[in-house]
Amino acid sequence: MFTDKLSGKNAERPELWKALDYARPGDTLVVPSLDRLGRSIQDLIAIVSGLRKRGVGFHSLHESLDTPPPGGRLVFHVFAALAELALFSYSYRQVAYSAE
């Protein structure tokens, strides 16, 4: 088990990179939620696509999402977009409230 205490917005997450390096074909990377893996659709897609190319599955517990089936990949892209929207909305509200 690999555990990072750093947020998904931090690019320097040594335990994530160790987990990605350790994963072998047939393994499945399990994360608590999409927003813990990456902070943008591009990051999420790059990481999950890289796993798929290596034969490694992906599972997000919060979204109950498995990517090996084609339907799971479609739902992944939808949830990734929603996660990015939620993050943007949160950031926008913080800026708006701090300006008051």
Side-chain angles (χ1 to χ4, degrees):
M1 179 186 292
F2 298 89
T3 304
D4 259 331
K5 302 263 188 235
L6 302 170
S7 72
K9 70 180 180 179
N10 189 337
E12 297 300 322
R13 294 177 290 159
E15 291 300 307
L16 172 61
W17 305 129
K18 286 179 191 176
L20 294 174
D21 186 51
Y22 183 83
R24 303 289 181 256
D27 289 348
T28 299
L29 177 68
V30 179
V31 297
S33 65
L34 289 176
D35 64 349
R36 301 306 301 164
L37 183 63
R39 288 297 193 192
S40 72
I41 292 174
Q42 292 84 5
D43 287 346
L44 291 169
I45 291 172
I47 292 170
V48 174
S49 294
L51 291 170
R52 188 177 72 238
K53 289 176 185 172
R54 294 174 40 213
V56 177
F58 174 76
H59 181 81
S60 174
L61 297 173
H62 178 70
E63 292 84 5
S64 297
L65 175 65
D66 279 310
T67 60
R73 289 194 299 270
L74 171 65
V75 173
F76 164 75
H77 286 280
V78 171
F79 278 124
L82 292 172
E84 186 174 51
L85 177 64
L87 177 67
F88 174 77
S89 297
Y90 177 75
S91 298
Y92 179 79
R93 284 192 306 268
Q94 281 186 321
V95 170
Y97 291 131
S98 67
E100 293 179 350

